[in-house]
Amino acid sequence: MNALLPHVLLPAVLLVSLPLSAPAAEPAKPSTPAECIALGTSRDIRPSNTEREVLLRDGNNHYRIHLQKRCLGAAASASYVFFTPNTPEQICGDARSTLQTDSNHCTVTRIEPVDAATFKRLAQQGR
């Protein structure tokens, strides 16, 4: 009987340990930026501290909109309009949307959700 005990216990111990080790083997995924966001009626678009991004507050949601390249005039524009062909009430990354400023058109590459505190800090730096 003692000879059977290791043959029964070892497979049982291995089976019990598998579920614990499987999730640890997968690397943690970073949060992914939004591919497209639907725009509401309450929007606030502000310059950031760089001409490669603008900040967007849409209702209670806050975003950092990354642009493909330096967008001259983005930091000092009086108006900002996003344009996405076929979906006017959305902004999409991956070069599907364009930011139109007073003097330029700039391609949107990525939409990064941020919290309200980060939005406020970045907006104050962009003044």
Side-chain angles (χ1 to χ4, degrees):
M1 175 120 171
N2 285 343
L4 291 177
L5 196 52
H7 296 292
V8 173
L9 285 179
L10 183 59
V13 169
L14 290 176
L15 284 175
V16 170
S17 67
L18 281 177
L20 296 175
S21 63
E26 292 181 25
K29 292 182 181 180
S31 61
T32 56
E35 186 174 319
C36 290
I37 57 170
L39 295 172
T41 56
S42 174
R43 281 177 241 169
D44 181 19
I45 303 170
R46 298 192 182 186
S48 181
N49 61 348
T50 148
E51 290 184 327
R52 291 199 61 164
E53 64 188 33
V54 292
L55 304 169
L56 168 67
R57 182 190 55 75
D58 185 52
N60 292 326
N61 300 312
H62 301 82
Y63 303 94
R64 191 177 199 173
I65 309 297
H66 297 268
L67 306 172
Q68 187 173 33
K69 58 184 180 180
R70 192 169 164 231
C71 188
L72 298 174
S77 184
S79 68
Y80 300 94
V81 177
F82 288 103
F83 176 74
T84 306
N86 302 320
T87 54
E89 293 304 313
Q90 283 191 350
I91 301 173
C92 298
D94 300 329
R96 292 188 288 172
S97 294
T98 304
L99 171 67
Q100 298 173 4
T101 67
D102 291 339
S103 61
N104 212 343
H105 291 38
C106 310
T107 303
V108 174
T109 57
R110 187 165 54 108
I111 303 166
E112 176 186 356
V114 295
D115 59 29
T118 301
F119 177 88
K120 184 177 179 181
R121 179 179 50 81
L122 292 171
Q124 287 174 341
Q125 291 173 355
R127 289 185 193 176

Coordinates of all heavy atoms in Angstrom, one line a residue, residues 4 9 17 31 37 40 44 53 69 74 93 126:
L4 N 2.0 2.4 -3.5 CA 1.1 3.1 -4.3 C 0.9 4.5 -4.0 O 0.5 5.3 -4.8 CB -0.3 2.4 -4.2 CG -0.4 1.0 -4.9 CD1 -1.8 0.4 -4.6 CD2 -0.1 1.0 -6.3
L9 N -0.3 10.3 -5.2 CA -0.2 11.6 -4.7 C 0.5 12.5 -5.7 O 0.1 13.7 -5.9 CB 0.5 11.6 -3.4 CG -0.3 11.2 -2.2 CD1 0.6 11.2 -0.9 CD2 -1.5 12.1 -2.0
S17 N -1.5 22.0 -8.8 CA -0.6 23.1 -9.0 C -0.7 23.8 -10.4 O -0.3 24.9 -10.6 CB 0.9 22.7 -8.8 OG 1.3 21.8 -9.7
S31 N -2.5 48.5 -20.6 CA -3.8 49.0 -21.1 C -3.6 49.5 -22.5 O -2.7 50.2 -22.8 CB -4.3 50.1 -20.2 OG -3.4 51.2 -20.2
I37 N -13.4 56.5 -30.5 CA -14.3 56.9 -29.4 C -15.4 57.7 -30.0 O -15.2 58.4 -31.0 CB -13.6 57.7 -28.3 CG1 -12.9 59.0 -28.9 CG2 -12.6 56.9 -27.5 CD1 -12.4 59.9 -27.8
G40 N -19.6 62.8 -27.5 CA -20.8 63.3 -27.0 C -21.0 64.8 -27.4 O -20.2 65.4 -28.2
D44 N -14.5 69.5 -24.6 CA -13.5 70.5 -24.3 C -12.2 70.0 -24.9 O -11.7 69.0 -24.5 CB -13.4 70.7 -22.8 CG -12.5 71.8 -22.4 OD1 -12.1 72.7 -23.3 OD2 -12.0 71.8 -21.3
E53 N 0.3 66.7 -29.6 CA -0.9 66.1 -29.0 C -1.8 67.2 -28.5 O -1.4 68.4 -28.4 CB -0.5 65.2 -27.8 CG 0.2 66.0 -26.7 CD 0.7 65.1 -25.6 OE1 1.1 64.0 -25.9 OE2 0.7 65.5 -24.4
K69 N 2.6 63.8 -36.4 CA 3.9 64.6 -36.3 C 3.5 65.9 -35.7 O 2.4 66.2 -35.3 CB 4.4 64.8 -37.7 CG 3.5 65.5 -38.7 CD 4.0 65.6 -40.1 CE 3.0 66.3 -41.0 NZ 3.5 66.4 -42.3
A74 N -1.2 73.9 -33.3 CA -2.1 73.1 -32.4 C -2.1 73.7 -31.0 O -3.1 73.7 -30.3 CB -1.7 71.7 -32.4
G93 N -8.0 56.5 -34.0 CA -6.6 56.6 -34.2 C -6.2 55.9 -35.5 O -7.0 55.7 -36.4
G126 N 0.0 73.1 -20.7 CA -0.1 73.5 -22.1 C -0.5 75.0 -22.3 O -0.5 75.5 -23.4

